[in-house]
Amino acid sequence: MKTYKSLVFFVIISFLISCNKENLLDQIVDFNDMPGKHINEMEIDNNNVFYYVTSERDTSVEVPLYSSSIPSKSYLSKRETETSDFEILDDDFIFVDEMLFDKNNNLWARNAKTIYLKEGDIYREIVDLPDDSGLFQFMTVDNENNIWAGGFTALYKIDSNLNVEKFTDENSPLNSPVTNIHVDKDNNIWLALWNNQGVLKIEKDKWINYNSENSNITSQNIWCLVTDKDNNLWIGTGHDNQQISLMRFDGEKWETINPRDNNNKIITGTVRKLFADENKIYVVSEKVENMAFSSNVLLTFDGTNWNKINEVPEDDGIADLNIDNFRQKVWIRTLNKGIFELPK
């Protein structure tokens, strides 16, 4: 199985989200001992320890001249603080797109085909998709410590006893691939549906679909979801109509919200990522030119005021945000220009 994952990695390595450590900002102190050259993933566990998946080209593997693949080697490492030494946990780590820690601080990881649970030095395959069964695009943990995973495949729920429940159009109201997932403070599961199908709310055993035919939600595709401090749902959209890129749902009505900069100027684009802490939401708005990434901006909204984060370069994509409540910081991982540290 590991050989297959390596082959997949070779093919799509050029599309990975990664950061060259030579470009890291001064806010991230002493990355010189980081294993590998690219940061592919960063998470913070329940004990406030940093975990990284990093990679570099594997020069020990000979590649034929006619091959377009690039062999790569991945590492799993951790550090207690942002300035402490890296501790390498695995110098031959599986290829993954995403990591998370559950309520019991167990490490979960996924790539497009497999959900893993780290058990000591073993990566246990909990769900492994057949070649013709689509792709995973997201993974999250709910308030009851269930893992949810899906994408362009079925929706999977994994409980604390590792029982797997699979939801399809045959046994649930799920009739579309899912682009994003969010768990609100009441443990409702929100799913962003592909192909202009709106959002689906799972409230215990009740499934509710909000779409443009039964509500005022946009008919565009929805890319991301989050809930704010008042448990209002926010959705990111805008690919077809950039004048409607952000909407808010209070449980009764959908409202279009215009992202703005510090001068109250409307920011147009596609809202690709949304995050939230106890005080504000973080909005990543992206622009495309000639069918390719052009720029993005990071905005915050506290319920009254908008603020544009100028410290993050607009000419590089934002891969992820980590809200660090322990250190009262936000860690912003960009695609090519490193990790930015901002106060909350």
Side-chain angles (χ1 to χ4, degrees):
M1 181 58 68
K2 197 164 188 178
T3 301
Y4 168 72
K5 298 304 181 297
S6 298
L7 179 59
V8 174
F9 188 86
F10 298 166
V11 174
I12 65 174
I13 182 66
S14 61
F15 299 99
L16 285 177
I17 293 173
S18 60
C19 306
N20 192 312
K21 68 180 180 182
E22 296 176 353
N23 294 328
L24 291 173
L25 298 186
D26 291 338
Q27 291 100 318
I28 306 299
V29 180
D30 191 14
F31 259 71
N32 292 324
D33 64 338
M34 183 185 84
K37 294 185 177 180
H38 307 283
I39 303 176
N40 305 108
E41 174 69 318
M42 167 185 164
E43 289 298 328
I44 303 172
D45 76 358
N46 300 340
N47 297 320
N48 306 303
V49 175
F50 293 97
Y51 281 73
Y52 300 90
V53 177
T54 57
S55 63
E56 63 187 352
R57 181 171 181 172
D58 190 347
T59 57
S60 67
V61 177
E62 294 186 7
V63 180
L65 294 177
Y66 57 81
S67 175
S68 61
S69 66
I70 303 176
S72 181
K73 184 176 183 179
S74 295
Y75 303 86
L76 175 66
S77 61
K78 71 176 185 179
R79 62 197 318 197
E80 298 293 330
T81 72
E82 60 266 45
T83 61
S84 59
D85 293 337
F86 283 87
E87 178 186 348
I88 299 177
L89 304 176
D90 191 338
D91 62 1
D92 190 21
F93 191 53
I94 53 178
F95 162 59
V96 299
D97 297 310
E98 185 178 8
M99 295 191 303
L100 66 78
F101 290 90
D102 66 19
K103 305 302 181 184
N104 296 324
N105 213 33
N106 297 308
L107 174 60
W108 293 75
R110 71 152 187 91
N111 55 35
K113 285 293 186 181
T114 308
I115 305 294
Y116 298 94
L117 172 62
K118 189 176 189 298
E119 297 181 332
D121 295 329
I122 304 299
Y123 305 103
R124 181 174 174 182
E125 295 182 2
I126 306 301
V127 180
D128 190 40
L129 297 178
D131 290 341
D132 59 352
S133 294
L135 302 170
F136 285 121
Q137 289 189 298
F138 63 79
M139 178 176 62
T140 194
V141 59
D142 69 16
N143 302 339
E144 297 176 353
N145 208 34
N146 300 303
I147 301 297
W148 295 79
F152 282 81
T153 182
L155 178 68
Y156 290 83
K157 177 184 177 181
I158 308 165
D159 68 17
S160 295
N161 295 318
L162 303 184
N163 298 310
V164 178
E165 189 172 4
K166 179 180 178 181
F167 300 100
T168 68
D169 58 357
E170 295 181 354
N171 66 353
S172 77
L174 185 65
N175 61 357
S176 168
V178 180
T179 57
N180 199 237
I181 189 171
H182 175 70
V183 181
D184 68 21
K185 65 181 181 181
D186 295 327
N187 207 42
N188 298 311
I189 312 300
W190 294 89
L191 305 171
L193 303 180
W194 178 252
N195 199 26
N196 310 325
Q197 296 299 307
V199 298
L200 190 61
K201 178 184 180 182
I202 306 176
E203 185 177 1
K204 296 182 179 178
D205 294 328
K206 185 179 180 181
W207 298 59
I208 307 170
N209 181 214
Y210 298 94
N211 57 53
S212 58
E213 295 182 358
N214 63 23
S215 71
N216 291 325
I217 192 174
T218 179
S219 61
Q220 303 179 89
N221 274 326
I222 298 166
W223 311 111
C224 49
L225 305 162
V226 81
T227 45
D228 62 19
K229 57 187 177 182
D230 299 316
N231 216 30
N232 298 311
L233 178 72
W234 293 72
I235 63 171
T237 181
H239 183 68
D240 301 314
N241 180 3
Q242 295 187 359
Q243 302 302 317
I244 304 177
S245 63
L246 190 62
M247 298 192 77
R248 179 174 59 193
F249 181 55
D250 64 1
E252 295 183 1
K253 68 178 184 299
W254 293 91
E255 178 185 8
T256 298
I257 306 295
N258 294 313
R260 298 175 182 270
D261 64 13
N262 302 3
N263 298 317
N264 207 36
K265 179 182 176 181
I266 293 176
I267 300 294
T268 60
T270 302
V271 173
R272 294 286 186 180
K273 293 179 175 65
L274 288 169
F275 306 88
D277 60 23
E278 67 276 10
N279 297 314
K280 53 184 174 286
I281 66 168
Y282 299 78
V283 179
V284 179
S285 181
E286 175 186 290
K287 287 190 176 182
V288 171
E289 292 183 4
N290 300 320
M291 300 182 67
F293 171 84
S294 173
S295 64
N296 64 199
V297 297
L298 176 62
L299 309 164
T300 64
F301 182 64
D302 64 5
T304 303
N305 300 309
W306 286 95
N307 181 42
K308 180 175 178 290
I309 308 301
N310 295 310
E311 291 84 354
V312 180
E314 296 185 16
D315 61 349
D316 192 22
I318 293 175
D320 200 8
L321 265 71
N322 289 94
I323 309 295
D324 189 346
N325 294 317
F326 177 72
R327 299 173 183 85
Q328 288 295 293
K329 295 178 180 179
V330 179
W331 306 98
I332 304 166
R333 182 166 58 88
T334 63
L335 295 179
N336 301 294
K337 295 189 176 181
I339 296 175
F340 292 70
E341 170 192 335
L342 294 173
K344 284 188 56 181

